[in-house]
Amino acid sequence: MIMNRHFLSIADYTREEILSLLSRARAIKKEIHSKYIYRPLEGRNVGLFFEKPSTRTRVSFEVGIHQLGGHCIFLSRRDIQIGRGEPIRDSARVLSKYLDALVIRTFGHEILEEFAKWSSIPIINGLSDLHHPCQVLADLMTLQEIGIDLTTMNAAWIGDGNNMANSWINAAQVLGFRLALACPEGYDPAVPFNSVNVSLTRDPLEAVQNADVVSTDVWASMGQENEATVRKTVFKGYQVNEALLSHAGKRVYVLHCLPAHRGEEITDDVIESDRSLIWDEAENRLHVQKAILEMLFAS
Ligand code: CP
Ligand code: NVA
């Protein structure tokens, strides 16, 4: 049985728990077009506190919660007293009195941890500077759907050692697949790794050797906008394009969490090619997050 109260990081879950979440998400996806009415969140209220913009995370959570019978309240930093300095420990305890769960998109991961410490309701990470676990679960589900075995695949990460890269490392360490990251010096992932299945190089060509899937993300994440010009120079050799992919496995697939900067970290033709799983990846946020909510409310 899954014991964790919160969903802050993939590393907080076991291999069996992650595989069971993914299996449930695939079942939920199949049910969506059936006449079967399933409303486990009936009468529940879920808050979404977002300190950064969002298209996919906000809309997929809001729609998913409605589909499960629950109600959502969207809270931006501007709307609540945290924006005027109310301590998190006070806000967390008060919000716990009204809400049944809270999805948070924020900057420092310690903000999420502080919420989790003081909340009596489940806290779900909708992206922090350190992790983006809901997205990587959706990525893994998308790979399973095309028959890739998550325990034996070869995955490559090209570009910034950011929140997505950190969550990919967590996933590789929990599930055991091989993950080769190529990041420029000074932009390594923050999550420590010492397992033999995870490696880091400066050379994208080396990282994509034999890859079944190649993932990338923007060179400047939200909150790093003032570094964008410098980063464009540093990351120049880290673009996912057809030339790079020709060094990968015979049938290599491409993931990008979106939003993408076409012509920077990935080319337009790769996004639009039949290697791209990007649209299914975005859709699967909806199904994976419903499985996460169901699991948290059941535990
Ligand atoms: N991939 C993702 O989290 O997208 P949004 O920033 O639009 O939520
Ligand atoms: N690394 C990106 C992911 C966006 C979904 C960011 O944090 O902005």
Side-chain angles (χ1 to χ4, degrees), residues 5 18 32 38 47 73 165 173 217 243 292:
R5 268 210 76 71
I18 294 296
I32 202 168
Y38 179 60
I73 304 175
Q173 300 203 125
D217 188 12
I292 293 169

Side-chain angles (χ1 to χ4, degrees), residues 5-6 8 82 86-99 101-102 104 109-123:
R5 268 210 76 71
H6 305 292
L8 302 190
I82 285 180
E86 182 170 8
I88 289 171
R89 61 179 183 274
D90 295 358
S91 305
R93 280 177 288 184
V94 171
L95 288 172
S96 296
K97 302 285 185 194
Y98 309 136
L99 298 170
L102 181 60
I104 300 178
H109 195 71
E110 66 284 354
I111 297 170
L112 271 167
E113 288 173 338
E114 180 78 352
F115 261 105
K117 181 176 169 189
W118 291 99
S119 296
S120 54
I121 55 172
I123 301 298

Side-chain angles (χ1 to χ4, degrees), residues 125-285:
N125 184 356
L127 180 145
S128 67
D129 289 345
L130 194 63
H131 295 294
H132 199 3
C134 294
Q135 181 66 61
V136 171
L137 278 196
D139 296 7
L140 297 174
M141 174 181 171
T142 309
L143 295 171
Q144 278 187 324
E145 285 180 322
I146 53 158
I148 290 185
D149 181 339
L150 298 184
T151 55
T152 58
M153 70 171 172
N154 291 318
W157 175 267
I158 307 298
D160 193 16
N162 63 12
N163 41 15
M164 282 293 298
N166 290 328
S167 290
W168 267 98
I169 292 171
N170 287 160
Q173 300 203 125
V174 170
L175 296 176
F177 60 82
R178 279 180 296 282
L179 174 65
L181 302 110
C183 309
E185 200 172 343
Y187 297 86
D188 290 351
V191 164
F193 54 90
N194 50 15
S195 52
V196 289
N197 58 322
V198 182
S199 61
L200 175 66
T201 170
R202 304 286 168 229
D203 181 2
L205 288 185
E206 187 188 326
V208 301
Q209 293 292 321
N210 301 318
D212 300 304
V213 57
V214 174
S215 294
T216 190
D217 188 12
V218 288
W219 291 339
S221 285
M222 289 180 276
Q224 298 172 332
E225 288 78 6
N226 60 358
E227 297 174 33
T229 308
V230 172
R231 284 170 171 263
K232 266 186 207 171
T233 311
V234 172
F235 285 91
K236 214 165 172 227
Y238 290 80
Q239 184 184 71
V240 174
N241 52 36
E242 283 297 339
L244 178 67
L245 295 173
S246 69
H247 294 267
K250 238 190 215 149
R251 187 62 180 109
V252 63
Y253 293 95
V254 173
L255 292 171
H256 189 308
C257 64
L258 301 176
H261 289 173
R262 293 165 192 243
E264 292 184 18
E265 76 277 1
I266 191 164
T267 54
D268 185 65
D269 58 330
V270 168
I271 290 186
E272 301 298 343
S273 71
D274 60 4
R275 301 177 188 289
S276 163
L277 300 174
I278 291 172
W279 317 115
D280 292 330
E281 180 187 4
E283 176 187 344
N284 286 337
R285 293 292 302 276

